[in-house]
Amino acid sequence: MTEETERRNFYGRTHGKTLRASQKQYLAEDLGRISLSGVTRADNPARTPLDLAKLTGGRPLWLEVGFGGGEHLVHMAARYPGVFIIGCEPFVNGVAMLLGKVRQAGLDNLVIHPGDVRDLFDVLPDSCVEKCFLNYPDPWPKARHHRRRFVTPGYLSALARVMQPGAEFRVATDIPDYVRQTLEEVPPAGFDLIRQAGEGGAWEDWLSTRYEQKALREGRAPNYLTFRRQR
Ligand SMILES: C[S@@+](CC[C@H](N)C(=O)[O-])C[C@H]1O[C@@H](n2cnc3c(N)ncnc32)[C@H](O)[C@@H]1O
């Protein structure tokens, strides 16, 4: 966990069950190479914006917030080699799972920030992200915890700043109250709703995630919301 993450009251989990030997090996051997530098406060105390041209080589930049085990992130990077994707995930077990998948797929168009997306928002320039994915964000079901959700003004204003005019923001969730809050909070942050679909209505290039599979097994229906950053 980064110093910045602690300072910001990160409420999620950063560690889970014991890592397998192979996962420890991926973390030891691959994490440094795939991690974006200049994101944490320790690494970039002046919070200097990242040099994206150097990072992406001029490719469009996409962002996945909370990639979990990384299946959707790896799928998108493989499907769109002309795009460069940054994934954020503070849960080390998820990061280790992603690293195994990246090894297998041999991708060179993705990097990660193994921490809180807010640290990344700090150092992204204005209007640089062309697409953002928020798949099955932590639901925080209790009413007094709703303000911890990603779809709250603090996260959304930072997201709006870094997204290009016309950029797409996709949200997938199985929680009806999360849909409600998303529809309430995202438009005032500077986005228009352009599509809302239920089960069977996923995006054409969607890859179902671990949390979606869990939701389906437990009888909860997916919702797929698409917003466009206002011009
Ligand atoms: C319910 S899981 C979903 C994981 C994956 N997207 C999926 O669909 O299987 C939500 C993930 O968001 C991550 N997360 C929560 N807060 C975050 C933050 N501030 N920055 C980045 N990731 C975050 C959590 O660690 C967790 O892995």
Side-chain angles (χ1 to χ4, degrees):
M1 187 158 54
T2 65
E3 191 189 325
E4 183 73 1
T5 309
E6 285 163 350
R7 191 176 69 79
R8 282 188 153 130
N9 290 335
F10 177 73
Y11 295 105
R13 289 195 305 169
T14 56
H15 290 79
K17 59 185 180 200
T18 311
L19 296 165
R20 290 200 302 270
S22 58
Q23 293 179 321
K24 287 184 184 161
Q25 188 192 350
Y26 302 151
L27 287 167
E29 293 178 4
D30 299 349
L31 182 61
R33 184 175 42 78
I34 203 171
S35 293
L36 193 50
S37 55
V39 178
T40 64
R41 189 162 290 271
D43 201 21
N44 179 0
R47 314 311 280 144
T48 306
L50 298 175
D51 182 349
L52 289 183
K54 197 166 144 206
L55 180 69
T56 66
R59 288 173 279 189
L61 178 66
W62 292 3
L63 170 66
E64 181 164 338
V65 178
F67 59 71
E71 46 282 326
H72 179 269
L73 177 59
V74 165
H75 162 75
M76 284 294 174
R79 172 142 180 183
Y80 298 101
V83 162
F84 194 87
I85 313 187
I86 304 179
C88 282
E89 178 53 68
F91 187 53
V92 71
N93 302 61
V95 170
M97 288 168 68
L98 168 92
L99 293 177
K101 295 184 178 91
V102 171
R103 264 197 190 194
Q104 275 200 326
L107 298 165
D108 68 354
N109 61 332
L110 75 89
V111 293
I112 65 166
H113 167 52
D116 192 323
V117 70
R118 291 172 293 182
D119 296 3
L120 178 68
F121 286 150
D122 284 351
V123 295
L124 283 178
D126 291 355
S127 307
C128 63
V129 173
E130 194 199 54
K131 204 175 278 201
C132 175
F133 308 102
L134 179 68
N135 297 330
Y136 293 87
D138 288 333
W140 295 112
K142 292 182 181 152
R144 71 173 186 279
H145 291 155
H146 287 179
R147 67 193 125 114
R148 297 181 183 177
R149 289 175 170 172
F150 184 92
V151 291
T152 47
Y155 285 95
L156 291 172
S157 61
L159 176 70
R161 180 185 69 76
V162 303
M163 290 195 79
Q164 294 172 356
E168 189 174 298
F169 176 38
R170 295 183 181 180
V171 184
T173 178
D174 56 323
I175 308 294
D177 191 65
Y178 207 103
V179 174
R180 173 201 60 76
Q181 192 170 352
T182 302
L183 293 173
E184 269 173 33
E185 303 263 13
V186 173
F191 296 84
D192 295 320
L193 176 69
I194 56 169
R195 182 172 176 273
Q196 178 173 3
E199 195 165 359
W203 302 277
E204 168 274 317
D205 54 4
W206 170 246
L207 182 100
S208 186
T209 66
R210 279 161 60 88
Y211 271 82
E212 178 166 277
Q213 290 301 312
K214 185 168 183 285
L216 291 169
R217 278 197 307 275
E218 294 171 3
R220 293 187 302 277
N223 294 268
Y224 306 104
L225 308 176
T226 312
F227 296 90
R228 181 93 56 217
R229 178 78 176 96
Q230 285 160 3
R231 292 176 189 278

